[in-house]
Amino acid sequence: MSVRKFLTSDAVHNDRDLELNSQDITKVLIGDQDKTVHFKGLNKEAVGNLFSTRAKIAEAMNIGPSHLVQHISNAISCPKPVKITDKPGFRKNSVPVDLTALPAPKYFPLDGGRYITAGVIIAEWEGNRNVSFHRMMIVGKDTMAVRLVPRHLYTMSELARSKGQELNVAVCIGLRPEVLLAAATSTDYGVDELEIASAMYESSFKKPLEVGRCDNGILVPADTDYVFEGRITLDRMNEGPFVDITGTYDEVRVQPVIAIDKAWTADRPLFHLLLPGGNEHYLLMGLPREPMILRTVRQAVPRTHAVCLTEGGCCWLHGVVSITKNKEGDGMNAIMAAFTGHPSMKQVIIVDEDIDIFDDRQVEWAVATRFQGNRMIRVPDAAGSSLDPSSDGTTWKIGIDATRPLNTGADKFKKAVL
């Protein structure tokens, strides 16, 4: 069963012939990002805006939207084993290797080429498994350039390179939200993200996540739509430009080359299109960071209720945290803890429990009526996000304590209700 099962009843069906080297697909996806778009007018069917709202992600995971952060947090804290099946759905069809035939578009005019944007790479090295998101630029029928930031897959690739070896990988496209979210988590090296995905899946569906084995031994989710078995080679080439999460172009870098050896698909596969800098990109990248912020702030302020990385801040650079103070100063402590939980964040607003942090107007109202400039923390020359175009290597961080005081006079900060 592929991601086709997540097509909602209100999905838009686009039957027009679209040009992969133009921005036709991008224009359709940007039109209404809340709507899932099912592309049929391509050589192969594709889907975009599939998990572009918290509600759609939650529904696919069989939970309520308000439970998302805790659901992810529980899985990170208590991973569960996967179940290996001998007949995974992705192996239904062995197909010729031809990446150029995929419905992967050139999303923006200055992109370095056509990109796979919803691709998750699974690799194993010396007993450790890693599952992570990576953008991949198609450069030939069996060749892609992959962007590796200096984290776990980069580490595995460099360890293999130091021994003159290639790193076996599986590139997966068309995955359940549990796997996508697990692939975007920041965990200790050696933690198996497939087991984090399995914990989320088992919590909702009372059975472990099923996986199947590629010919190179890599385990991948059984119901993946497309699986490409390959190797991160010793070759490198220019990758980019590419529009990243902020909607601005990331720079060209010399990056590793992946060579693809085999390809499989499920029956009637759907190719997942992740709009760069779109709402789905925001959520799948930002949501897994919210449990980290929640955990660190709760260590400083026990009654921490909710965390949100805001869409206006690309679900990466700006956040809001809701707390109930036990004592004055808790708002300031929450600010410092939040930056520890997500070092890429450069602005955080702390609000009281009566503010809906998912309502931008309520958050701004709290800042307007409960905040003065002397309750702001400014942190100069801190390490921030390389995705922030305003950063020159370091960044200024700002924390805003928009909580009402606990002392006499606090009543004047309460909003009137009927």
Side-chain angles (χ1 to χ4, degrees):
M1 182 71 74
S2 77
V3 295
R4 190 177 295 272
K5 59 181 169 290
F6 299 123
L7 286 175
T8 55
S9 58
D10 62 345
V12 175
H13 298 280
N14 190 298
D15 298 315
R16 294 186 294 123
D17 289 326
L18 300 173
E19 174 57 51
L20 294 175
N21 283 312
S22 74
Q23 282 67 63
D24 287 351
I25 290 173
T26 307
K27 290 174 184 176
V28 173
L29 292 175
I30 288 176
D32 184 351
Q33 292 191 51
D34 287 349
K35 295 280 189 180
T36 300
V37 184
H38 179 198
F39 294 95
K40 297 180 178 179
L42 302 166
N43 289 334
K44 294 178 173 64
E45 290 182 82
V47 62
N49 296 339
L50 183 62
F51 302 122
S52 57
T53 69
R54 290 174 187 261
K56 286 197 285 187
I57 294 172
E59 182 180 359
M61 294 168 67
N62 199 32
I63 59 173
S66 63
H67 298 144
L68 272 170
V69 174
Q70 193 61 55
H71 190 71
I72 300 169
S73 181
N74 292 344
I76 294 171
S77 299
C78 189
K80 300 286 187 180
V82 295
K83 179 182 178 181
I84 300 175
T85 176
D86 293 332
K87 295 182 179 180
F90 74 81
R91 293 192 70 133
K92 286 289 186 68
N93 305 287
S94 177
V95 297
V97 175
D98 187 358
L99 300 173
T100 63
L102 295 174
K106 182 177 181 179
Y107 286 94
F108 289 93
L110 300 183
D111 284 354
R114 293 168 54 201
Y115 267 89
I116 293 171
T117 52
V120 166
I121 297 178
I122 303 179
E124 297 179 19
W125 178 257
E126 295 182 340
N128 293 314
R129 179 182 295 123
N130 182 71
V131 185
S132 50
F133 260 110
H134 299 274
R135 70 189 194 221
M136 287 163 272
M137 186 178 75
I138 296 171
V139 293
K141 285 190 173 183
D142 62 356
T143 311
M144 302 182 287
V146 58
R147 168 68 172 128
L148 295 186
V149 296
R151 291 199 285 264
H152 297 169
L153 184 59
Y154 173 90
T155 300
M156 288 182 171
S157 177
E158 289 300 298
L159 287 171
R161 178 182 293 272
S162 70
K163 296 184 177 182
Q165 298 180 29
E166 298 177 324
L167 180 68
N168 286 337
V169 297
V171 178
C172 304
I173 306 164
L175 291 156
R176 297 190 56 86
E178 292 90 348
V179 180
L180 296 174
L181 292 169
T185 58
S186 292
T187 61
D188 294 340
Y189 184 72
V191 172
D192 186 350
E193 291 88 355
L194 280 183
E195 293 191 346
I196 294 174
S198 186
M200 283 188 267
Y201 187 78
E202 187 170 322
S203 176
S204 295
F205 300 101
K206 310 308 177 189
K207 56 185 179 180
L209 181 75
E210 288 196 346
V211 298
R213 199 176 296 278
C214 297
D215 286 353
N216 64 3
I218 303 292
L219 289 174
V220 306
D223 59 356
T224 307
D225 281 52
Y226 289 86
V227 174
F228 299 95
E229 179 182 320
R231 299 158 281 119
I232 297 181
T233 69
L234 303 181
D235 297 330
R236 298 190 178 185
M237 65 176 295
N238 285 344
E239 182 273 327
F242 179 77
V243 172
D244 217 307
I245 197 167
T246 57
T248 56
Y249 283 98
D250 197 9
E251 64 188 81
V252 176
R253 297 179 181 85
V254 177
Q255 294 290 288
V257 172
I258 295 180
I260 300 300
D261 302 311
K262 296 181 180 179
W264 294 283
T265 75
D267 286 338
R268 299 179 66 212
L270 276 177
F271 189 86
H272 190 181
L273 303 168
L274 189 67
L275 175 65
N279 291 346
E280 188 173 22
H281 188 179
Y282 289 172
L283 288 170
L284 291 178
M285 188 167 170
L287 252 178
R289 295 304 190 276
E290 293 178 0
M292 309 301 182
I293 302 170
L294 183 68
R295 182 174 301 180
T296 57
V297 178
R298 275 186 175 161
Q299 290 171 354
V301 183
R303 288 191 290 174
T304 299
H305 306 293
V307 170
C308 173
L309 288 168
T310 66
E311 283 84 354
C314 309
C315 286
W316 197 249
L317 300 175
H318 289 181
V320 186
V321 180
S322 167
I323 68 171
T324 297
K325 295 192 296 188
N326 288 327
K327 59 185 182 300
E328 290 299 349
D330 275 350
M332 293 297 184
N333 286 349
I335 289 170
M336 294 184 286
F339 285 137
T340 301
H342 182 45
S344 290
M345 186 165 57
K346 70 175 187 179
Q347 176 185 290
V348 65
I349 300 171
I350 311 298
V351 298
D352 295 296
E353 71 282 352
D354 63 327
I355 301 298
D356 180 357
I357 65 172
F358 298 101
D359 185 330
D360 294 342
R361 287 194 174 203
Q362 288 196 38
V363 172
E364 188 172 353
W365 178 87
V367 174
T369 63
R370 298 178 179 180
F371 167 73
Q372 286 292 313
N374 63 333
R375 296 168 67 204
M376 174 190 292
I377 294 177
R378 298 168 76 234
V379 182
D381 302 323
S385 173
S386 63
L387 299 176
D388 177 7
S390 72
S391 172
D392 59 0
T394 60
T395 191
W396 279 71
K397 299 194 177 191
I398 299 172
I400 294 172
D401 181 1
T403 60
R404 58 180 179 259
L406 294 175
N407 57 15
T408 305
D411 286 347
K412 71 179 183 179
F413 293 92
K414 292 182 180 178
K415 198 168 189 177
V417 294
L418 294 176

